[in-house]
Amino acid sequence: INYDADATSNLASGLYTWTLSDSIRSGQNLQHRFPGVSTYSVQLHVKYPAYNGDPNLVCQDSLRLDQIVGPIPKMDFEFFDVCESDQTSFEAKPDIPISTVSWDFGDGETTALGFLASSIPPSGTTSGTYEAPIHSYSGADSYNVTVTGKTAAIFGGCEDTEVHEVAILKNWASSPAEPSYDMAALDGGKGFWVKEDAKGNSTWEFNTSTKPQLSIDEMAWVTGSTQPYKPNDASYMNSPCFDLSGFSRPVLSLKHWANTDFSDGAVLQYSVNGGESWTRLGDVASGLDWYNRPTINSNPGEQSGLSSGWSTADQETWATGKHTLDVIPPVERTQVRFRVAFASHTNLLGNAGFAFNNVVIEERNRTLLVENFTNLQQTQNNVNFRAFRAVEDNNGEFVFNPEELVKLQYHHTSAQNDAGLDKLNQDNPVDPNARAAFYGVTNAVRAFIDGGYGQQSDAGFGSGATAPLLLQTYFSLRSLVTSPVNISIDFKADPTVDRGAEHPANADSSKTFNVKATVQATSDLGPAGQYNVFIAMAEQEVDNQVYVLRKFLPDASGTPLTSLSATDVPQVIYATYDMRHMTRSLNGDLEPFAVIVFVQHLETKDVLQTIMRQDGTGNSAIVTGVETSHENYVRLYPNPADDLLNVILPAPVKNQTPVKVFDTFGREVFNGTFRTGEHVKTIETKTMSAGVYLIQLSTPEGLVQKKAVVVHE
């Protein structure tokens, strides 16, 4: 603080005495450092020397003023909505109250100092208040944004400035040309991921790594290519902005490698509100190679509750983590962001840090086979099998997503003391008993998931209200494994079509149900003789049991798989069945049934892929299906619907198929598309008024229409 007496006055040769909070100093020009923030009383005392040496003849005067010494603010700011074409929001975050603030957005546009609550003069790119401006950037890039804050004059008018790098992120959405996101194929392998350094000491770079504990010769995002990561790090790698609304079963995978102190690590988070808040994706072991430590002291990503993530010094090579994105509701998938957050304390051991690459977002392509060995006496087990991974609709029926799983139930002799108690076994004991022998099942109940879970546990679907936890966990993880096989099912009115001499002479196409299964491997499966294709005929419901096996075609041993690599010709299998074991109504029509096809390894029992069609129809004279679209080709659940309606086709479409929804006035309320390979489309009905709606599909054979009811409790 400088006080300067009037050096030009006639008192220039006089004595100046300053009283500063009880300390006395003399002199004309003084500097004084106050001890802290407060209000100080400062007195200036000025007097002439005594006239003729007489102390009573002294001219003097004094002035006292208060000097306010204010605090220096520490400026900071937050920002969100940073996707291309977003209106990016900022908010000043000083550590003490300030009066005015100014901004430099890093793209040439600035503001003057303005009061916090005052509106910024309108421009083509900036609006809002000085405290919380909204700015539009011209495109994806990194911008150095500066905020300057100043306290009020009565508090010292103190000023501080802070600069942050703000990255405007690329947008990405699926398309026919690019149905999945593949980081390695975009932006030179960077995938349009961008670094965010919260504390100014991040070491993230896109490079190889020569560190002994993390030696990689492929390009990756890594916390330093040659040196250990720094202590006190809090940084992020931000993904592009994803529109995932085109996915029905999205899954994210990435290659990762951790070498950290036990207190440091990384985590993957997602945001659906422009980065305003972040949620950890999954928990320890909730996906394949997904997180290994429930609590990381440095808390990457500032998680609430447990701070889980990847943290280990023992990883010696790449691991591929994989996790479903089903936790993000379909209605919130239009703009999703991900980030890899890294945080550290000290790094006393000089560890290498974290690396990742090859992020992929795609559809899960595996449909799981859920098998239940049981009998009619096992009431609770069979109820739980019906309810497994299903939801109860408004009619009290349990419905499941056939894109996720297919159910098949076996009533086998070995599961009961008296075979005569179970008519479903008596109707055809050979096939279910052969299946039990294939698995080595001797106890009353047994649950299998893709042929694997039942080998780990003798349990069925439980005696309680829900299936055992291990069964649910196995299902969730198994669903993440990519299937190396594609299967399709067609129903043929005439089994001789495309068969020629293979058609048996005694087959009467007017009284048989004819199935054509096509199997194509999408990767190398190994030598021949390891896999068989199984075709199962099942009743959707009989004697209060669901998806009960009636017959394997041609028998329970299946058909050897010959399509063993992506370059092989697709294998076509024809099967003919006279429906003798199927239940008929009083007028002779068949009760609803399902055709299930799956590929299974004969030794490991691993089921590679499963598919089901439930739209076969028939009467007492002819039992055939058709390949063209018609009303019973489409299934809706739940119907009536409240929040969501699923439109289900019995097999993946071969071409893009438009689907629209109209209200009773003919107004279009939804317009979407089944992409090639899809057979489930989820429609949000939460915002639709209660009433009847028309679901319309445009197929190559013409329009298909079904009615759906929307109700809101």
Side-chain angles (χ1 to χ4, degrees):
I1 300 297
N2 292 326
Y3 279 89
D4 191 351
D6 186 357
T8 62
S9 70
N10 292 329
L11 303 179
S13 60
L15 174 67
Y16 307 86
T17 301
W18 298 86
T19 302
L20 301 166
S21 299
D22 299 327
S23 66
I24 299 176
R25 299 186 183 187
S26 297
Q28 179 174 336
N29 301 309
L30 296 179
Q31 290 185 342
H32 179 75
R33 184 181 297 278
F34 291 101
V37 175
S38 187
T39 300
Y40 298 89
S41 178
V42 181
Q43 183 180 28
L44 171 65
H45 187 190
V46 184
K47 66 179 181 179
Y48 271 104
Y51 182 71
N52 289 331
D54 185 348
N56 295 316
L57 298 175
V58 176
C59 294
Q60 60 185 345
D61 195 10
S62 64
L63 174 67
R64 179 178 294 276
L65 294 174
D66 287 339
Q67 174 63 52
I68 298 174
V69 176
I72 300 175
K74 174 60 179 174
M75 290 302 299
D76 202 354
F77 65 89
E78 294 180 350
F79 55 92
F80 45 93
D81 295 332
V82 293
C83 303
E84 286 179 298
S85 304
D86 272 355
Q87 298 274 322
T88 302
S89 297
F90 297 87
E91 185 174 359
K93 291 287 185 179
D95 63 341
I96 62 172
I98 59 174
S99 175
T100 55
V101 65
S102 67
W103 296 86
D104 181 339
F105 295 107
D107 60 351
E109 182 156 338
T110 62
T111 74
L113 280 170
F115 291 106
L116 296 182
S118 297
S119 296
I120 294 175
S123 72
T125 56
T126 306
S127 60
T129 65
Y130 284 91
E131 181 180 23
I134 301 172
H135 185 69
S136 296
Y137 287 95
S138 59
D141 205 344
S142 291
Y143 302 88
N144 289 322
V145 178
T146 304
V147 63
T148 300
K150 191 172 185 179
T151 60
I154 62 171
F155 296 111
C158 304
E159 186 176 285
D160 186 51
T161 295
E162 181 69 13
V163 180
H164 285 317
E165 184 180 28
V166 176
I168 303 301
L169 305 173
K170 294 281 290 184
N171 288 329
W172 185 93
S174 62
S175 66
E178 198 172 23
S180 61
Y181 169 81
D182 185 353
M183 176 186 191
L186 300 171
D187 191 28
K190 299 178 183 179
F192 302 113
W193 288 64
V194 179
K195 178 178 73 174
E196 179 185 342
D197 188 359
K199 292 188 175 180
N201 60 348
S202 170
T203 55
W204 282 110
E205 60 178 299
F206 189 70
N207 209 335
T208 59
S209 173
T210 59
K211 292 178 282 191
Q213 319 97 314
L214 206 163
S215 179
I216 55 177
D217 57 6
E218 57 185 273
M219 300 294 286
W221 286 109
V222 59
T223 52
S225 60
T226 59
Q227 298 296 320
Y229 64 87
K230 295 181 180 179
N232 196 33
D233 188 355
S235 56
Y236 311 93
M237 288 303 308
N238 290 287
S239 77
C241 300
F242 292 103
D243 180 354
L244 302 179
S245 59
F247 292 87
S248 60
R249 303 169 61 206
V251 61
L252 180 147
S253 62
L254 78 163
K255 288 172 59 177
H256 60 81
W257 193 334
N259 180 263
T260 66
D261 284 358
F262 71 91
S263 62
D264 306 333
V267 68
L268 184 73
Q269 299 173 302
Y270 69 91
S271 174
V272 295
N273 57 9
E276 190 171 353
S277 62
W278 292 88
T279 302
R280 181 180 67 242
L281 179 63
D283 298 297
V284 171
S286 63
L288 300 176
D289 280 318
W290 202 257
Y291 306 154
N292 64 308
R293 193 178 297 280
T295 302
I296 301 175
N297 292 340
S298 61
N299 192 13
E302 299 182 327
Q303 307 166 53
S304 59
L306 291 177
S307 53
S308 304
W310 291 289
S311 175
T312 180
D314 300 327
Q315 189 170 339
E316 297 180 351
T317 187
W318 285 109
T320 299
K322 202 168 188 179
H323 203 284
T324 173
L325 299 179
D326 290 352
V327 66
I328 306 174
V331 69
E332 296 180 351
R333 292 179 186 171
T334 55
Q335 192 178 89
V336 184
R337 287 176 53 193
F338 299 95
R339 70 180 186 184
V340 174
F342 182 78
S344 66
H345 279 332
T346 58
N347 195 15
L348 295 176
L349 300 178
N351 285 307
F354 190 77
F356 74 95
N357 65 10
N358 287 21
V359 178
V360 175
I361 299 176
E362 59 189 341
E363 291 278 14
R364 299 195 302 280
N365 76 330
R366 179 176 291 272
T367 300
L368 278 71
L369 179 64
V370 180
E371 298 172 281
N372 183 34
F373 286 88
T374 188
N375 63 49
L376 289 175
Q377 293 176 310
Q378 306 299 323
T379 305
Q380 190 60 60
N381 176 73
N382 300 340
V383 168
N384 291 340
F385 173 69
R386 178 194 290 264
F388 181 71
R389 309 290 295 193
V391 295
E392 190 173 1
D393 64 14
N394 292 336
N395 297 321
E397 296 292 331
F398 283 98
V399 293
F400 60 88
N401 185 353
E403 193 175 39
E404 278 277 326
L405 75 158
V406 169
K407 296 184 179 183
L408 189 54
Q409 182 166 265
Y410 309 113
H411 287 248
H412 64 121
T413 302
S414 58
Q416 54 196 325
N417 295 323
D418 183 356
L421 294 177
D422 195 329
K423 179 180 180 297
L424 297 177
N425 175 264
Q426 282 186 311
D427 288 346
N428 176 18
V430 175
D431 284 3
N433 292 349
R435 194 68 178 162
F438 175 76
Y439 278 123
V441 174
T442 58
N443 51 308
V445 296
R446 194 81 165 267
F448 283 83
I449 302 291
D450 265 2
Y453 173 79
Q455 300 181 63
Q456 303 176 6
S457 170
D458 290 339
F461 284 85
S463 58
T466 59
L469 177 61
L470 288 177
L471 184 68
Q472 297 278 8
T473 302
Y474 188 94
F475 182 95
S476 297
L477 295 180
R478 178 66 179 177
S479 69
L480 300 175
V481 179
T482 300
S483 170
V485 172
N486 287 332
I487 308 174
S488 64
I489 302 173
D490 289 320
F491 299 153
K492 308 296 293 185
D494 184 353
T496 63
V497 175
D498 300 328
R499 289 190 74 184
E502 296 180 21
H503 174 51
N506 60 349
D508 183 351
S509 64
S510 67
K511 296 181 180 180
T512 57
F513 187 79
N514 309 300
V515 178
K516 173 186 174 183
T518 304
V519 184
Q520 174 68 66
T522 57
S523 61
D524 187 11
L525 301 180
Q530 298 186 91
Y531 300 94
N532 273 12
V533 182
F534 296 87
I535 302 175
M537 302 292 299
E539 288 205 58
Q540 295 182 31
E541 181 156 359
V542 55
D543 290 346
N544 294 319
Q545 311 299 302
V546 293
Y547 297 95
V548 176
L549 173 73
R550 287 312 213 168
K551 187 70 177 72
F552 276 115
L553 306 179
D555 53 47
S557 62
T559 303
L561 179 67
T562 59
S563 177
L564 299 169
S565 72
T567 58
D568 286 342
V569 176
Q571 180 178 355
V572 178
I573 302 171
Y574 295 92
T576 299
Y577 181 40
D578 60 11
M579 311 297 275
R580 72 180 67 181
H581 304 102
M582 311 300 284
T583 303
R584 296 179 182 271
S585 63
L586 293 177
N587 65 3
D589 289 343
L590 289 164
E591 295 295 339
F593 59 91
V595 180
I596 299 166
V597 180
F598 59 94
V599 176
Q600 187 167 29
H601 195 286
L602 299 179
E603 295 295 329
T604 65
K605 308 302 190 281
D606 183 32
V607 177
L608 300 188
Q609 184 63 296
T610 307
I611 190 173
M612 175 174 67
R613 281 188 66 167
Q614 305 182 85
D615 61 315
T617 60
N619 55 42
S620 57
I622 182 170
V623 184
T624 60
V626 293
E627 291 180 282
T628 56
S629 298
H630 48 71
E631 282 195 20
N632 60 23
Y633 187 80
V634 180
R635 183 182 176 197
L636 309 176
Y637 86 91
N639 190 14
D642 183 6
D643 293 339
L644 298 172
L645 173 69
N646 294 289
V647 182
I648 304 173
L649 306 181
V653 296
K654 298 177 181 178
N655 300 292
Q656 290 198 14
T657 302
V659 55
K660 298 180 180 181
V661 180
F662 299 91
D663 62 16
T664 54
F665 297 99
R667 294 175 298 201
E668 182 181 294
V669 297
F670 175 84
N671 191 332
T673 302
F674 281 89
R675 296 186 305 169
T676 302
E678 287 185 338
H679 66 280
V680 175
K681 178 63 64 177
T682 301
I683 299 173
E684 182 188 358
T685 57
K686 180 168 55 177
T687 58
M688 296 183 186
S689 301
V692 178
Y693 291 84
L694 184 68
I695 315 299
Q696 178 177 290
L697 284 80
S698 300
T699 73
E701 294 81 15
L703 294 180
V704 178
Q705 296 180 332
K706 294 278 285 188
K707 288 185 179 179
V709 178
V710 174
V711 296
H712 300 302
E713 298 181 356

